[in-house]
Amino acid sequence: KKQDNITAVFLGDGATEEGVFFESLDFAALKQIPILFVCENNFYSVYSNLRVRQAKNRDISKLAESHGIKSYKGNGNNINQVYSLADKAIKYIKKTKGPAFVELETFRWLEHCGPNWDDNIGYREDGELLKWMDLCPIKSLEQDILESSIMQSDDISIIKNKITKEIDKVFDYANKSSFPKISMMNEHIYKD
């Protein structure tokens, strides 16, 4: 994603185990590239807890700092905190014309790559998913809005209904659309 000549790169915690991650940090710091690295740390890489994949006390944001990149770390389930950290990082990038890194701790509810529930296959601790579901960022934001009297519950319901209608419309369009022709399979790919 690119805005105001700032490129944003989004990655998961497992991607920080790859050499290209470190090469990207080094290059961005060396060339003072205005790039925002955003790491969604959900404590799992595919179906493995990071405890069995990464060294004890490994801190992803500190890895970025060790490459000379300003780093921020926060609660990815707190929408206000995410906004604040992103704002700080973007201001830093604009001021220095160099890179910044934001690590957001959160949790994925569904399977690694798909729309299904997978809590039944035993790779997560019992109750862990329910604990994180109680920390739902959308529910928390809604509660904050109601408590601060920014909006009333009727106003929130109107917004939710509007969003639901938009989503339903997109799904309806997708379901009614025909599949692409098989002849298009090799069009518009890197080799072209």
Side-chain angles (χ1 to χ4, degrees):
K1 218 167 192 177
K2 198 167 187 169
Q3 182 178 355
D4 296 327
N5 294 323
I6 296 174
T7 300
V9 176
F10 298 87
L11 59 143
D13 44 63
T16 68
E17 300 169 4
E18 301 292 327
V20 69
F21 170 70
F22 298 100
E23 293 162 5
S24 298
L25 295 177
D26 271 344
F27 190 77
L30 178 66
K31 299 296 183 181
Q32 281 298 287
I33 298 172
I35 185 169
L36 175 60
F37 294 95
V38 180
C39 177
E40 179 184 311
N41 183 352
N42 62 30
F43 309 106
Y44 285 87
S45 182
V46 187
Y47 295 109
S48 300
N49 190 298
L50 294 184
R51 290 189 307 259
V52 300
R53 295 181 58 99
Q54 298 178 0
K56 187 177 180 178
N57 299 323
R58 183 178 191 264
D59 187 320
I60 296 169
S61 61
K62 286 195 185 334
L63 289 175
E65 287 176 1
S66 73
H67 290 266
I69 296 178
K70 179 73 172 169
S71 297
Y72 305 86
K73 185 175 187 172
N75 179 352
N77 279 21
N78 182 318
I79 293 170
N80 292 321
Q81 190 175 114
V82 170
Y83 179 85
S84 175
L85 292 175
D87 185 55
K88 287 178 187 175
I90 290 167
K91 285 177 180 170
Y92 176 83
I93 292 169
K94 287 179 178 181
K95 179 180 173 187
T96 66
K97 307 291 187 238
F101 185 91
V102 176
E103 178 184 357
L104 301 169
E105 294 181 333
T106 188
F107 197 78
R108 66 175 159 82
W109 295 6
L110 302 176
E111 62 189 332
H112 173 67
C113 53
N116 301 308
W117 296 99
D118 68 350
D119 206 41
N120 60 325
I121 63 175
Y123 71 96
R124 297 193 275 210
E125 294 176 19
D126 286 341
E128 187 176 18
L129 174 60
L130 293 176
K131 177 189 122 189
W132 281 94
M133 288 177 83
D134 285 340
L135 301 171
C136 173
I138 296 170
K139 287 180 185 175
S140 296
L141 180 63
E142 183 176 342
Q143 189 64 37
D144 289 348
I145 288 170
L146 291 171
E147 286 175 6
S148 64
S149 299
I150 294 171
M151 298 175 96
Q152 303 301 315
S153 60
D154 290 346
D155 300 321
I156 293 173
S157 292
I158 291 168
I159 292 170
K160 283 182 178 179
N161 288 333
K162 181 180 177 188
I163 291 168
T164 300
K165 284 179 185 176
E166 286 181 39
I167 291 170
D168 289 344
K169 184 178 174 182
V170 170
F171 269 92
D172 186 52
Y173 175 80
N175 286 329
K176 289 179 180 175
S177 296
S178 58
F179 282 97
K181 295 176 185 165
I182 195 112
S183 62
M184 295 177 64
M185 185 166 35
N186 290 318
E187 290 181 12
H188 310 294
I189 58 175
Y190 185 74
K191 74 173 186 75
D192 293 336

